Amino acid sequence: MSIRTSRSVSLLAGIALAGAGLGAVSGCGSQKATAGGTNVLTDRARQVAEAWDGSTAAAAWRAGYHPMGETVQLPQGGLHSPADLQAYEDQSFLLRGELPVTWPKNGQVTWATGKPLTQRVMGADESYKNLASTRVNRKPHLTVTEVKLGEMRVATSRGPATVPAWLFTLHGYATPLKQAAVIPSTPPRSPISPARDIPGLPLDRLIQIAADGRSVTVVALHGVCDDGPAVDVLETSGSIVLSASVKDRKNKGNCTKQAKLQQVTVKLKHPVDDRVLLDALTGQPVPYKGLNGISPSGS
């Protein structure tokens, strides 16, 4: 049996609301509010698209290295057993041998078209710490027998890229576990400020862009007393703006100020390509975080 996964843990049933803008999900009343018959979230999405399209921020985003897919790849064929999967999720690794103490300061990120990008390379020690907990000798665990610098393919905002990667040889596996070694570019400053005092919620994260680019899966917040999240989309030639809100509440008794995280897949009219995927409420690119900390069902 082979196990394929992104590192994930079970999601708690509810998380306390905190921070500006989250208080809107109290579960009390519809969050699809309108003003003068015009959906304020739709107006906000247009403003975000107009601010980003053709901006220096959009140009900087397209010129950078922004991972939009997993930067850790399991050995070919996946993990061998549920025990190994549990060890990976628990970050239970045991290092046998020495980590490399020298490596290139910078590395090249290359795409099929366009100029390569030079980015800082993280050290083997830093990379290993990202994989492994400080606690060792726990059962079950994965044993690392060798670490060396190589390369891997990563999905990015500019399409698939080849990047330097640390290759971790695991005991019992013919191919290594890979972790991207280059540091992502700093996101550009948004040309539009976050929205204030309008209905809606910021998106938690981007999970996946479909292979054909015609849909994206994000994690959205919703309340315990509503009918779930809704994510609307506005597409332009330069951007894709997602507006998250919650569906109308039914009579579900007393409401509490809690929120749940739920995966939502949004279909697009055209492939993502190099368009910037934006959150209407924050005015920022939707961050890619994968399934880290999110149950596969997203419930």
Side-chain angles (χ1 to χ4, degrees):
M1 175 174 61
S2 295
I3 308 293
R4 298 176 185 270
T5 183
S6 300
R7 176 175 290 144
S8 61
V9 297
S10 296
L11 178 68
L12 296 175
I15 59 173
L17 287 171
L22 296 187
V25 177
S26 62
C28 299
S30 170
Q31 301 304 318
K32 275 271 188 169
T34 61
T38 301
N39 191 309
V40 294
L41 283 178
T42 300
D43 288 344
R44 169 65 182 180
R46 291 195 188 100
Q47 294 167 7
V48 171
E50 289 172 359
W52 273 87
D53 289 356
S55 68
T56 56
W61 176 266
R62 293 189 180 95
Y65 164 58
H66 303 286
M68 305 294 275
E70 292 297 330
T71 55
V72 176
Q73 294 177 0
L74 299 180
Q76 291 180 14
L79 297 173
H80 292 168
S81 67
D84 283 358
L85 170 61
Q86 188 64 55
Y88 174 73
E89 291 183 343
D90 290 344
Q91 296 183 276
S92 182
F93 287 79
L94 184 63
L95 180 62
R96 298 292 190 190
E98 300 293 330
L99 292 171
V101 294
T102 60
W103 55 84
K105 180 179 179 181
N106 298 310
Q108 294 287 300
V109 180
T110 59
W111 290 268
T113 59
K115 294 181 179 180
L117 186 66
T118 300
Q119 295 290 107
R120 184 175 75 83
V121 173
M122 76 170 69
D125 54 346
E126 182 180 355
S127 182
Y128 182 71
K129 288 177 182 177
N130 289 337
L131 285 176
S133 168
T134 55
R135 292 173 291 177
V136 296
N137 295 321
R138 294 180 298 163
K139 299 290 185 178
H141 64 256
L142 293 165
T143 300
V144 177
T145 59
E146 183 183 15
V147 183
K148 62 182 180 180
L149 194 62
E151 62 182 28
M152 66 184 283
R153 295 274 280 176
V154 174
T156 79
S157 57
R158 296 168 57 180
T162 300
V163 306
W166 288 108
L167 312 184
F168 296 88
T169 300
L170 304 179
H171 177 71
Y173 288 84
T175 59
L177 180 152
K178 301 179 181 181
Q179 179 167 247
V182 287
I183 306 299
S185 301
T186 301
R189 183 176 179 178
S190 175
I192 187 170
S193 299
R196 304 291 182 188
D197 301 324
I198 69 170
L201 289 169
L203 291 165
D204 180 77
R205 67 184 66 186
L206 169 69
I207 287 180
Q208 185 181 48
I209 297 176
D212 62 4
R214 290 186 175 272
S215 68
V216 296
T217 301
V218 295
V219 173
L221 286 160
H222 71 99
V224 296
C225 296
D226 58 52
D227 291 337
V231 180
D232 295 325
V233 59
L234 173 67
E235 298 187 47
T236 71
S237 61
S239 59
I240 301 166
V241 187
L242 301 179
S243 304
S245 59
V246 296
K247 299 176 184 177
D248 290 346
R249 168 188 177 269
K250 293 182 178 179
N251 185 15
K252 298 182 180 181
N254 294 330
C255 298
T256 57
K257 288 187 177 182
Q258 287 182 313
K260 293 183 178 181
L261 302 179
Q262 183 172 324
Q263 295 183 30
V264 179
T265 296
V266 181
K267 294 183 178 180
L268 306 173
K269 294 179 179 178
H270 305 285
V272 175
D273 291 333
D274 67 346
R275 292 185 292 172
V276 188
L277 188 66
L278 298 163
D279 183 335
L281 207 68
T282 66
Q284 297 277 2
V286 181
Y288 175 83
K289 300 178 185 177
L291 281 171
N292 187 21
I294 303 294
S295 64
S297 66
S299 60

